[in-house]
């Protein structure tokens, strides 16, 4: 029988994994004389080693030729955002014209709701999950108020119906059916940030469209984590950030998707000159003529220094491929689940669904002894060089990112948690 707690077993798993070499493409945080076991890619991804070269390329252009950098060289700034369109489309399962890297997540959410949340007296409501990420809830509540409606009646929150605070597809379908005649928009996460539950985007889109609603997604915890197939899912729009699994740095430029069927130019929108048709943009005319596709929702010049690290990360995604990364993610997260269920079940509850199809790389854990014990475990892990993150009221999130985490990292987590359970200090030998 295989000893899951054996270092040789974890080492063998890593040695047999063809994508293990990608770890060397990242800067790993240090802990003492060694590396930290870093499980917080769902909050801030690690820095690709190639990011510095892309940033320095921009800085060098700026230093040497200043404004001419907009028009000269293979990475000229006028079309710089187009350099990421094709690889980004590959990551999110879209056509290149359907995606754009711009702004930040919540700013993009507001901009797309200008176009896709068009409430009427009969259909004023937005449906989200209960316990949505606060920024999403703030955004949709403010949009409802902006249009003269009341979030108390027109913001519909679907309550969890499964253990651990997760949601069944039946609960989502039931809520859409009950409120369908009033729904203007269904806004749903690809992966719920606290529980780590992944959702069937195509089915939610089908349900929302059947009820007459527009359907959009916040993919902050899904993009780069698992395949999302946005075009085939038929979503109307989606937004996400690039600083998590896309490893593009703190405050990185965000991303947006607009389905090709909405590429026509007559959508209401807040306009800015970078969304103007690029063939006539510099004629400086007074009338706004949108660029077809997602590019038409841009407002201002792209943040070139912000886009540069994204290029480095997307190079690695292209090299690995989303399907292969997803397979590796399932192996890593499955190993984590086996260690928790096999050796820590008396201390830890897994909140995230057991079905791999309903989760990405994140497992959300609760300490069975309660919140105070959970905080004690979290602090023990950090002192031991094992970094997850804490989400109120009582969840520790551990996310083995397939680009840079290893089976050895996962084993470090399990051994450290076992030491805490058994009353041993960080670093004590078992």
């Amino acid at each position: 029988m295989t000893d899951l707690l054996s270092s040789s077993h974890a080492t063998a798993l890593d040695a047999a994994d063809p994508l293990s070499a990608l770890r060397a493409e990242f800067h790993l945080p240090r802990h003492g004389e060694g590396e930290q076991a870093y499980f917080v890619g769902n909050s801030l991804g690690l820095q690709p080693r190639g990011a510095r070269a892309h940033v320095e390329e921009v800085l060098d252009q700026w230093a040497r030729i200043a404004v001419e950098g907009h028009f000269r060289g293979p990475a000229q700034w006028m079309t710089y955002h187009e350099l990421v369109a094709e690889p980004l489309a590959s990551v999110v399962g879209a056509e290149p014209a359907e995606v754009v890297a711009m702004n930040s997540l919540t700013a993009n959410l507001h901009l797309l709701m200008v176009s896709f949340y068009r409430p009427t007296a009969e259909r004023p409501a937005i449906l989200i999950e209960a316990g949505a990420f606060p920024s999403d809830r703030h955004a949709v509540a403010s949009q409802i108020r902006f249009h003269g409606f009341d979030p108390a009646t027109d913001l519909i929150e679907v309550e969890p119906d499964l253990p651990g605070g997760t949601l069944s597809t039946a609960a989502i379908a039931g809520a859409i059916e009950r409120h369908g005649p009033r729904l203007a928009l269904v806004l749903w996460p690809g992966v719920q940030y606290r529980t780590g539950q992944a959702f069937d985007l195509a089915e939610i889109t089908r349900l929302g469209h059947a009820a007459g609603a527009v359907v959009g997604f916040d993919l902050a915890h899904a993009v780069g984590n698992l395949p999302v197939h946005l075009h085939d899912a038929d979503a109307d729009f989606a937004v996400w950030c690039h600083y998590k699994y896309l490893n593009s740095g703190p405050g990185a430029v965000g991303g947006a998707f607009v389905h090709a069927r909405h590429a026509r130019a007559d959508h209401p929108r807040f306009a800015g000159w970078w969304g103007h048709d690029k063939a006539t943009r510099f004629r400086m005319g007074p009338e706004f003529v949108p660029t077809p596709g997602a590019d038409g929702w841009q407002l201002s010049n792209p943040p070139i220094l912000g886009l540069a690290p994204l290029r480095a990360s997307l190079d690695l995604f292209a090299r690995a491929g989303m399907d292969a990364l997803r397979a590796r993610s399932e192996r890593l997260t499955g190993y984590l689940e086996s260690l928790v269920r096999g050796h820590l079940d008396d201390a830890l509850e897994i909140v995230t669904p057991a079905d791999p199809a309903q989760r990405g790389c994140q497992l959300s854990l609760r300490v069975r002894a309660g919140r105070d014990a959970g905080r004690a475990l979290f602090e023990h892990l950090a002192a031991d060089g094992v970094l997850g993150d804490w989400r109120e009221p009582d969840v520790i999130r551990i996310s083995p990112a397939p680009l840079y985490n290893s089976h050895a990292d996962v084993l470090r987590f399990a051994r450290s948690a076992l030491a805490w359970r058994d009353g041993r200090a960080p670093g004590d030998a078992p």
Side-chain angles (χ1 to χ4, degrees), residues 99 197 240:
V99 300
Q197 180 179 10
W240 59 87

Side-chain angles (χ1 to χ4, degrees), residues 372-386 390 396 420 426:
D372 289 347
R375 284 298 306 180
L377 172 58
F378 178 73
E379 290 162 9
H380 168 97
L381 291 168
D384 211 12
V386 179
W390 177 266
I396 297 172
W420 172 81

